[in-house]
Amino acid sequence: MKALVFEGPGRTSWRDAPDPEVKDAADAIVRGDTVTICGTDLHIIKGDVPEVTPGRILGHEAVGEVVEVGAEVRTVRPGDRVLISCISPCGRCRFCRENRYGQCQGGGGWVLGHLIDGTQAEYVRVPFADLSLHPLTSAVDGADAVLLADILPTAYEVGVVNGQVKPGDTVVIVGAGPIGLATVATARLCTPERIIVVDLAESRLTAARAMGADATVLSTEDPERLVADLTDGLGADVAIEAVGLPETFDLCTRMVRPGGRVANIGVHGKPATLHLEDLWIKDVTITTGLVDTFSTPLLLRMTAAGKIPLTSLVTHRFELDQMEEAYDVFSRAADTGAMKVVLGGTPHDTVLPAN
């Protein structure tokens, strides 16, 4: 089969790779139909994730068709159209029993494209298939469904749920990239009074308004003042960080009200200063997290019901064999305007992998 292979920091190739085989009775083999690229993949290529070794097939988000299952798989069978979750829960360890699948200690968690071969290939072996795969109906388009593999549950669980967004809240989201826009979409499910979005780029603020933001502001135009003006000087009930920079995290802590919540989604590559000299007296709750994907079935139902607008998140479409071009466009988002790039989605002949 063809796959995108990590060859070492700064190097990848779309090349031949061995077909995957069932290694464990809980495995499934899925023929990839629609895949996407995550910002985490770019971090891996830069060498920021040393656990990923040369020769690893990248990717942790896909939609496809089951072509083979292990003897213990019960919830899917060959021919089923499925969503491949970015998290593979064992279902047995302490954390999985608490629905904290991202912290799985039974051989699962974030393994696809990280510790085992991933989804940016024609076929993928999916461990713990009963919990890692979600059957899809024809009502959900592949380009929409693939967004539920990672960014939608990440935005909802790490941003909206951890931030305890409630009806009537003022929510400020710093960062209008794919995760920030997904946070706008999922926060609307909780009927806050207003959603304010902060970003450096006017084009992304336009996308945020299309997604349902009530107010937007450039980060250079004093967002703290806007939040204060809209809340009678109180501050936001929930401030959600969706960038991963010390400056944006600090901005969230300055915009949140006393007794409010700061939910950090962004992946931070360097330390951020926590100004406890100001925050200790404000009763502020700060949360972090890796997605668990416990919300994926709920979000799938909401998407099928038309409650979550997703189409505007996809800005570029490619064929699967245009993987390297898609990476180039996605990595230069400031120049290309890319939000989410989607590859595949067109029918092709089914070829069963060698067993």
Side-chain angles (χ1 to χ4, degrees):
M1 69 173 183
K2 294 289 187 179
L4 188 82
V5 180
F6 176 64
E7 307 286 8
R11 295 182 294 118
T12 61
S13 62
W14 176 254
R15 61 173 174 83
D16 290 335
D19 290 345
E21 299 180 356
V22 169
K23 295 182 178 179
D24 184 89
D27 290 348
I29 305 297
V30 178
R31 173 178 59 83
D33 177 71
T34 308
V35 303
T36 186
I37 301 171
C38 180
T40 305
D41 298 322
L42 299 182
H43 281 289
I44 291 171
I45 293 171
K46 290 177 184 177
D48 295 341
V49 187
E51 299 87 358
V52 181
T53 55
R56 176 71 62 229
I57 296 172
L58 297 183
H60 50 268
E61 306 160 86
V63 168
E65 180 183 321
V66 176
V67 296
E68 186 178 355
V69 297
E72 294 180 1
V73 176
R74 296 289 181 267
T75 60
V76 295
R77 60 184 180 181
D80 285 350
R81 181 172 178 255
V82 294
L83 169 69
I84 302 175
S85 175
C86 67
I87 300 295
S88 304
C90 78
R92 298 184 179 93
C93 71
R94 169 182 173 176
F95 291 112
C96 285
R97 288 177 180 271
E98 296 173 356
N99 281 351
R100 302 187 67 173
Y101 303 144
Q103 306 301 322
C104 175
Q105 294 189 330
W110 174 38
V111 293
L112 289 171
H114 180 207
L115 304 179
I116 67 173
D117 287 337
T119 60
Q120 290 169 6
E122 293 179 312
Y123 293 91
V124 57
R125 179 180 72 90
V126 181
F128 308 116
D130 281 333
L131 291 174
S132 302
L133 299 179
H134 299 273
L136 293 175
T137 68
S138 58
V140 182
D141 180 74
D144 287 343
V146 76
L147 302 181
L148 285 117
D150 188 350
I151 68 166
L152 259 295
T154 295
Y156 180 66
E157 295 173 15
V158 185
V160 177
V161 175
N162 281 2
Q164 300 178 35
V165 176
K166 298 180 178 65
D169 276 353
T170 291
V171 179
V172 60
I173 300 167
V174 179
I179 286 289
L181 294 179
T183 306
V184 174
T186 54
R188 293 177 66 222
L189 297 173
C190 300
T191 62
E193 179 180 359
R194 63 176 67 89
I195 298 174
I196 306 165
V197 178
V198 183
D199 198 88
L200 278 170
E202 182 59 50
S203 61
R204 293 196 166 196
L205 294 180
T206 299
R209 290 191 292 272
M211 193 64 67
D214 301 289
T216 59
V217 59
L218 290 167
S219 55
T220 56
E221 296 183 348
D222 200 357
E224 291 178 72
R225 178 178 291 276
L226 175 65
V227 171
D229 288 346
L230 291 175
T231 60
D232 296 325
L234 190 63
D237 299 288
V238 185
I240 298 175
E241 202 285 335
V243 181
L245 294 175
E247 298 83 2
T248 50
F249 175 78
D250 185 54
L251 177 62
C252 286
T253 64
R254 298 199 305 270
M255 292 190 295
V256 71
R257 67 166 172 81
R261 288 88 62 194
V262 175
N264 183 88
I265 305 176
V267 178
H268 289 260
K270 52 186 176 180
T273 300
L274 183 63
H275 287 286
L276 285 175
E277 74 277 12
D278 299 322
L279 295 172
W280 73 270
I281 202 170
K282 292 180 67 175
D283 295 342
V284 170
T285 298
I286 298 174
T287 59
T288 66
L290 173 68
V291 65
D292 295 308
T293 66
F294 66 81
S295 67
T296 302
L298 167 66
L299 296 174
L300 276 169
R301 295 198 304 273
M302 293 295 98
T303 300
K307 302 297 184 182
I308 304 177
L310 296 180
T311 305
S312 58
L313 283 172
V314 177
T315 56
H316 295 75
R317 298 290 297 263
F318 299 89
E319 295 300 320
L320 195 61
D321 61 3
Q322 295 177 296
M323 187 71 69
E324 291 171 315
E325 180 182 348
Y327 260 94
D328 176 64
V329 168
F330 185 64
S331 67
R332 296 185 298 106
D335 300 322
T336 63
M339 288 289 182
K340 288 297 283 185
V341 302
V342 169
L343 298 96
T346 56
H348 53 81
D349 293 338
T350 300
V351 180
L352 296 181
N355 184 3

